[in-house]
Structure formats: structure tokens, C-alpha cells
Amino acid sequence: MADPRLESCLALHRANHLGEAEAGYRQCLAAGIDAALPLSGLLLQQGRHAEVVDLLEPRCTTRVDNANMAINLSIALRKTGRNDDALRHARQASELAPQQPAAWNALGLAQLESGAVADALHAFDRGLGLAPGHTALELHRAKALRRLDRHREAIAVLERVVGAAPDLLEAWRDLTSARNALGLYPAALDSATSALRLAPNDLDVALEHAVALLNAGQTGNAIKRLEKLEADPQTWMWLAQARLRDNDVAGARAAYERAATHDPDNPFIRHFLAAIDGHLPEAVETDYIRKLFDDFAPRFESTLVDALAYGTPKTIAQFLERSGVTSAQEVLDLGCGTGLMAAELAAPGRNIDGLDLSERMLTQARAKGIYRALHAAELLEFLRGSEQRWDLVLAADVFVYVARLEPVFAAIHDRLAVGGHFVFSVESSDGADTQLPPQTGRYRHAPDQLEQQLLAAGFSDVRREPLTVRMEVGQPVRGEIMLARRGD
Ligand SMILES: C[S@@+](CC[C@H](N)C(=O)[O-])C[C@H]1O[C@@H](n2cnc3c(N)ncnc32)[C@H](O)[C@@H]1O
């Protein structure tokens, strides 16, 4: 039975009289009554994490037997940026009280913070084994699943969470992110709308809702909302994208320029301002490409292949077959992405190496189990630094992200075995030169010009074939496949 003075403080705490409860707890402590645990709970409730650390840390060096204290201390340490210590105390708590779901929750959160995502998932699973359907554990489990790119499972969990706790803003927001990651835009708009209903004055929630409108094709509505919001570079960038979608190039430039005053080195802003101004960047825009495809990776195959009818890898494979290029053993897939090209070309006795700037794309390529080696690298740097030789070098839908191809052609020529082949696809420009239309942000090359550049790099036997790269806004995107041979 607790001391009656402590009992009355606990009653005040339960009745949400936090000020009085805190004063009472402190009097208890002064009188030698152990009120540190409930006081720490009260402070956590109010986000006073540093005070929790000051209160519990000295006690936890001596009282290592109290799992609840270790849990509260772990939460506070994590929130104050001392995650290694948070991890240590959470681990201690889960060893002291393995039957307590909160210990697994604290451990999972500290592991998530430290990047040990698979361990975190395991900890949340342990907690849920003890408390099936526990809302916080489910919510945190879904965060771990999203970090592992297991968005579909995260969505199923989050749909359960919002069903059980429809007022939980964080769950609606996480559900929106997970649905966006998979390109489930109408559903993402639904969850973003629910979040906005719960937090109509929260700027971040309002931005997520406006982006959901844009993704769902409600461009006009999105622009109206974004114009009202205009608050930070992030919002201006979305406004610029929305205006581009609406063909308002001048409006888009104004929004990007505003964003650039705050974030001048942002690779997206630089890329699109270059596109609007018609200045093609000299160097490969590695940061832009990496970020673009790290974001795109989870929905790449569902969006591009399923929704936009992207079939370039298959078309390239058929073109090679028709051209009699069928016996290459050593193959290099530049910008291999999720591995669609290797899936078309895999054959017994053939070794396919791949490279890509985006780690998250490579993770998916690796999961296909087809490549001999996969490298996280920029293609031109990789080729220049390599001494290997390949019989066939491929680049499917990669040069839409590279402005200048002459140095790339020269480097590929160097790395090809004599008699080897190089095949790639491009989007075709309307003129005689490379273009960068701001609406797509992708380079369109002039195939005649590329043919000259191939010949200048030493290639011969150039063959070309028209290609429909994909459907965009219901229209086919025109391109070409080009094949060239390294002569003797
Ligand atoms: C549209 S995806 C195509 C992926 C794959 N080739 C396919 O056809 O499915 C373009 C890929 O090229 C990669 N990429 C673009 N420029 C690159 C560069 N300079 N170096 C390495 N990878 C690059 C991107 O990260 C992305 O994964």
C-alpha cells in the first residue's frame, strides 16, 4: 500500500490536475517518499524530457531493478538526443520486465532511432505478442515497416490503427505517406483529408493535404491551397511543381526563385530552374538523381510498369534479339534501377553487373537475385575508374537524367570488349539539340546528334528504332532505341 500522501497525488494526477499533482510529488520526494516514477510520468506527459533525465538518471545508476524507471528514462534520453544511453536503458528494461509491452516499445523506438530497423520491428512484434492490437506498438511497428520499404504491410497495420483510434493524427499522416509511397494517390488524399480534419491549423498537415490533392490530379485545388499556405521553401517547391503541371511556367519560376533564396543549393530547385531557363547543367546532377529515385523506388515498378505502361527493357531485349546481339556473356546494366533490364536478359552462362546512384533502387535489384555484382555509383565515374570489360553495355531510360552524353559514350567505348555492343534508349527532342522541358524535368536528346557523337567516340554500325517510352497524361512519349558496336 502506497503512502497516503502519494496516493492523493496519484489521484490528482489521474484527474488531470497536473500542477497540483506535481507539487505533491515534489513534497513527497522532499519527505523521503519515492515519487520519482509517477513524477517522471507526469513530466513526460508534458514533454519535459530534460527534467525527466535529471530526475531519473541518478536513480537509475543505483536502482537498476526498476524497469518502469528505465523505460521512462529511455524515452526521455531518446528525446534529448542521447540515443545510445536510451538504448542501454531500454535494453535493461526489456531484460528486467520481458512481460511488459512498454519495455519492448521503448526498446523498439530507440532501435528505430539508431537505424537498427529490423531489430526495432522485432521488438515491436515482441510487445504486440504480449498486447495484441496495442495502438502505440502498432503505430511504431508501421513506422519500422515503412523504413524497410514494406509499405503494403504498413498500410494494413495503419488502416487497423485508424479504425481503432480515429483521432490519432500521427496514424493518418503515416498512412498518407505510406499510400503516397506506393502511388495510391486517391487513398492518400482520403487519409490526408482525415488528418486535416483533425488538425486544420497545422501547416505540415495542410501541406501534406495540398500535395495529396496535386498527386490525385486536382491541380487547380492544390494550387489554391498552396498559394494560401506559402510559408517555406518546401511549400514553394510544391507550388512550383503544381504551376508547372498547370503550364504556368512564369509562376513556377517565381515560386522556385523564392524557394532558392532560402535553399540555394537544393538540387531539385537548381534542376528545375535550369530547365525553365534552358541552361543545361554541365555536370551530372548526382544529388538530384539519387534523391529522386530513392523517393521513387518503392512505387517505381507499380507506377511505371503497371500504370504508365513502361516496357523499355522488354523492347530493348527484343531489339537485341532481332539485331542478332544474343551471345554477350559479360553484361553491364548502367542505371539498372530495380533490375527490370536484367530480368529480361538473364540467361545461363551470362554475367550481369549493375550500377545505380540510388541505394533504394539497388535494394530492389538485389532482391531479384539476378545480378553478379551491384554497385552504388555514378555511371561516368564508375566507367572511368573501372578496368573491367563487358561484351554488352545497356542503359534503359537512364540518359533522360544525363545532359551531356559525349563523355559517357567515350567512357563506354573504352570499357567495351572489341566487337562488343552498347544499347540505350532516349526520349527524343523536338529539335536538333538536347532539351530539358520543365514539365517533366527529363532530358530529351536528338537522336541524329547522338548518332554523330557515337561515331565520333569510335562506335560503328549504329542501328536505331523508334520507341514509345511510356504514356504520359494519356499521350505516348516518343523516343528511340540506339545500338552501336565497338569496332576492331
Ligand atoms: C528510369 S530509371 C530506369 C531503371 C532501369 N534501367 C529500367 O529500365 O527499369 C533510371 C535509373 O537510372 C539511374 N541513374 C540516372 N542517372 C544515373 C547516373 N548518372 N549514374 C548512375 N545511375 C543513374 C537512376 O538512379 C534510376 O534508377
Side-chain angles (χ1 to χ4, degrees):
M1 186 64 192
D3 185 288
R5 281 168 292 177
L6 181 56
E7 280 294 352
S8 70
C9 300
L10 290 169
L12 285 167
H13 191 166
R14 279 194 293 273
N16 223 17
H17 298 301
L18 300 186
E20 289 164 75
E22 180 181 346
Y25 288 144
R26 291 195 186 280
Q27 281 164 12
C28 286
L29 282 177
I33 301 165
D34 195 355
L37 183 63
L39 176 57
S40 70
L42 182 148
L43 295 172
L44 280 183
Q45 241 177 303
Q46 298 181 323
R48 292 158 65 185
H49 301 115
E51 290 174 65
V52 175
V53 173
D54 290 344
L55 177 70
L56 294 187
E57 203 166 30
R59 287 175 167 79
C60 281
T61 50
T62 49
R63 291 269 312 267
V64 285
D65 58 332
N66 191 323
N68 289 324
M69 268 195 202
I71 292 169
N72 284 0
L73 178 56
S74 170
I75 295 169
L77 285 164
R78 181 169 49 80
K79 293 281 191 184
T80 49
R82 288 175 53 194
N83 199 56
D84 286 350
D85 293 327
L87 203 51
R88 188 163 50 80
H89 285 286
R91 208 167 270 132
Q92 208 166 55
S94 67
E95 283 160 11
L96 282 170
Q99 76 294 351
Q100 206 162 311
W104 295 108
N105 191 37
L107 179 60
L109 286 171
Q111 287 169 325
L112 205 55
E113 184 78 26
S114 71
V117 185
D119 293 343
L121 185 61
H122 179 68
F124 297 134
D125 281 338
R126 287 285 302 264
L128 283 163
L130 298 163
H134 186 288
T135 302
L137 281 162
E138 289 264 49
L139 181 71
H140 299 149
R141 180 168 186 272
K143 286 185 195 298
L145 288 169
R146 285 174 51 219
R147 292 266 295 272
L148 293 166
D149 276 345
R150 290 164 59 180
H151 297 278
R152 220 163 276 287
E153 290 166 76
I155 289 172
V157 174
L158 288 165
E159 285 177 348
R160 273 202 309 274
V161 173
V162 296
D167 291 343
L168 192 58
L169 177 65
E170 195 176 347
W172 285 112
R173 295 180 69 185
D174 287 357
L175 183 55
T176 303
S177 302
R179 287 172 168 172
N180 267 332
L182 289 185
L184 304 171
Y185 298 128
L189 179 55
D190 284 348
S191 37
T193 306
S194 297
L196 190 64
R197 224 173 272 135
L198 288 174
N201 300 320
D202 184 313
L203 276 183
D204 292 333
V205 173
L207 177 59
E208 284 157 16
H209 178 256
V211 171
L213 283 169
L214 182 64
N215 285 338
Q218 298 190 30
T219 309
N221 254 338
I223 291 175
K224 265 189 234 142
R225 299 232 175 202
L226 287 163
E227 281 175 345
K228 272 199 210 126
L229 272 181
E230 271 197 71
D232 60 12
Q234 178 90 356
T235 314
W236 296 322
M237 281 172 66
W238 279 112
L239 178 59
Q241 281 292 316
R243 286 176 172 165
L244 279 177
R245 189 100 40 103
D246 205 33
N247 281 325
D248 172 11
V249 177
R253 175 196 270 119
Y256 274 129
E257 278 171 349
R258 223 170 144 185
T261 56
H262 292 263
D263 194 1
D265 296 327
N266 184 302
F268 277 80
I269 301 175
R270 289 166 80 124
H271 179 78
F272 281 96
L273 274 178
I276 288 169
D277 292 337
H279 299 313
L280 300 190
E282 279 294 305
V284 178
E285 301 153 278
T286 49
D287 290 344
Y288 165 71
I289 297 165
R290 192 179 293 116
K291 169 109 183 55
L292 185 69
F293 282 96
D294 276 348
D295 286 351
F296 196 17
R299 61 182 181 283
F300 179 79
E301 292 195 2
S302 59
T303 309
L304 209 58
V305 183
D306 302 346
L308 299 176
Y310 171 72
T312 301
K314 186 181 263 318
T315 314
I316 287 183
Q318 290 167 344
F319 182 57
L320 287 172
E321 184 92 28
R322 278 199 302 283
S323 308
V325 182
T326 53
S327 58
Q329 286 193 336
E330 299 292 305
V331 177
L332 176 63
D333 185 7
L334 298 172
C336 62
T338 60
L340 294 173
M341 195 69 250
E344 294 294 335
L345 289 183
R350 177 171 280 168
N351 296 315
I352 310 181
D353 299 325
L355 72 84
D356 204 285
L357 268 169
S358 159
E359 280 286 359
R360 282 178 96 182
M361 295 291 270
L362 285 170
T363 302
Q364 297 201 27
R366 207 165 284 124
K368 289 199 168 64
I370 309 175
Y371 290 92
R372 171 176 61 185
L374 283 165
H375 307 272
E378 196 286 310
L379 63 91
L380 188 54
E381 280 175 23
F382 176 88
L383 290 163
R384 285 178 171 165
S386 172
E387 294 189 347
Q388 221 169 318
R389 289 207 182 267
W390 290 272
D391 305 318
L392 175 63
V393 174
L394 309 146
D397 205 32
V398 178
F399 295 154
V400 288
Y401 300 99
V402 183
R404 293 188 57 234
L405 292 179
E406 297 107 303
V408 177
F409 290 171
I412 290 170
H413 188 269
D414 261 12
R415 291 294 98 224
L416 267 179
V418 171
H421 286 88
F422 167 38
V423 66
F424 60 93
S425 66
V426 288
E427 287 184 15
S428 301
S429 85
D430 298 335
D433 283 315
T434 303
Q435 299 166 336
L436 179 55
Q439 282 80 359
T440 68
R442 286 193 301 272
Y443 293 98
R444 291 187 171 165
H445 294 282
D448 289 346
Q449 190 183 47
L450 295 188
E451 181 167 349
Q452 292 313 310
Q453 291 173 356
L454 284 168
L455 296 174
F459 285 100
S460 58
D461 304 335
V462 177
R463 293 188 57 173
R464 294 165 44 175
E465 193 173 86
L467 165 80
T468 297
V469 182
R470 66 169 77 82
M471 299 300 288
E472 205 155 80
V473 209
Q475 296 295 315
V477 176
R478 278 186 328 109
E480 276 199 22
I481 300 180
M482 302 184 78
L483 172 67
R485 181 171 166 277
R486 177 178 172 161
D488 306 331

